[in-house]
Amino acid sequence: QSALTQEASVSGAVGQKVTLSCNGNSNNIGSYTVGWYQQISHGAPKTVMFGDYLPPGIPDRFSGSQSGTTASLTISGLHPEDEADYYCSTWDYSLSAWVFGGGTKLTVV
Amino acid sequence: VQLVESGGGLIQPGGSLRLSCAASGLAVSRNYMSWVRQAAGKGLEWVSVLNSADKIYYADSVKGRFTISRDNSKNTLYLQMNNVRAEDTAIYYCASLVNGVAFDYWGQGTPVTVSS
């Protein structure tokens, strides 16, 4: 059972806006920046967002936010190549460990 | 930045293996560096982190069996895996963390299979 909770699956049409959520508690999301990681077809993870910072090379249709013990990743205007598994992660000071969510499978229809 | 893992393979339960992560474009000595693994069909699981001040943390699942270290002269991160178990079977990724805040660069991974 993951310390962070994500939707198992989300789907959206090309061009649609979707929001993925990541729920934690005061020991993790409530205290630390959340990172978001994209994994396409079980390849190597790729960082797409942390906090509200967009890494170089990541399209600006990706955006991130955090409020309280919840973090969100929004993709505004889905592209077919956005279809992937997305994981959230942050530090948990009560566990002294990095924790990941179980991942959300995003399907672009 | 490039992180290249090596050292994975097939190993029997109870055996030992050392994974390496050769870095270029960043200094392992000045960055938080971590290992993350993924079993087939499963999600990402954090394994260990070593920060620039030599502070080390391990996941409970590997504590006492795995050791993270680095060789600054070779700019390489290591994961010594001892007394391995079937549940250690996974692809092992090396990753750097930006200011200890979040993972930023990832390697391509090296597969480890624990089986008799």
Side-chain angles (χ1 to χ4, degrees):
Chain A
Q1 188 170 353
S2 303
L4 305 180
T5 303
Q6 300 182 247
E7 303 95 341
S9 62
V10 170
S11 64
V14 172
Q16 187 179 354
K17 181 172 88 169
V18 295
T19 296
L20 311 182
S21 68
C22 177
N23 294 294
N25 59 41
S26 58
N27 298 324
N28 42 62
I29 295 179
S31 300
Y32 297 96
T33 299
V34 173
W36 289 91
Y37 311 97
Q38 177 192 65
Q39 191 176 36
I40 297 174
S41 300
H42 300 289
K46 178 180 180 181
T47 302
V48 294
M49 180 70 56
F50 51 90
D52 58 1
Y53 176 74
L54 193 67
I58 302 301
D60 60 7
R61 62 179 180 274
F62 287 84
S63 63
S65 65
Q66 282 182 240
S67 179
T69 59
T70 298
S72 299
L73 177 71
T74 297
I75 309 173
S76 301
L78 277 174
H79 287 209
E81 60 266 30
D82 297 333
E83 184 163 290
D85 294 323
Y86 290 85
Y87 296 89
C88 60
S89 179
T90 191
W91 178 255
D92 187 303
Y93 70 76
S94 69
L95 298 174
S96 291
W98 284 88
V99 291
F100 281 92
T104 295
K105 182 176 181 61
L106 174 63
T107 301
V108 181
V109 298
Chain B
V1 174
Q2 193 171 18
L3 302 174
V4 179
E5 302 94 335
S6 62
L10 175 64
I11 184 168
Q12 293 188 340
S16 297
L17 198 65
R18 189 178 79 160
L19 306 183
S20 300
C21 170
S24 58
L26 67 78
V28 297
S29 62
R30 294 199 298 270
N31 284 270
Y32 284 63
M33 299 295 297
S34 188
W35 290 96
V36 175
R37 68 185 181 184
Q38 185 173 37
K42 304 294 185 182
L44 299 175
E45 179 190 16
W46 172 75
V47 174
S48 182
V49 65
L50 169 59
N51 74 12
S52 52
D54 293 331
K55 186 70 174 176
I56 292 172
Y57 296 94
Y58 296 101
D60 286 345
S61 58
V62 307
K63 204 172 292 183
R65 301 186 299 121
F66 291 10
T67 302
I68 191 172
S69 64
R70 64 177 174 231
D71 185 330
N72 297 340
S73 66
K74 295 182 179 179
N75 207 27
T76 298
L77 179 75
Y78 300 101
L79 184 68
Q80 177 67 42
M81 306 169 61
N82 295 332
N83 191 23
V84 296
R85 306 166 180 165
E87 53 265 36
D88 295 322
T89 295
I91 295 176
Y92 284 73
Y93 296 102
C94 168
S96 60
L97 292 95
V98 54
N99 296 325
V101 169
F103 300 100
D104 52 356
Y105 297 105
W106 297 78
Q108 288 303 302
T110 187
V112 172
T113 302
V114 181
S115 175
S116 54

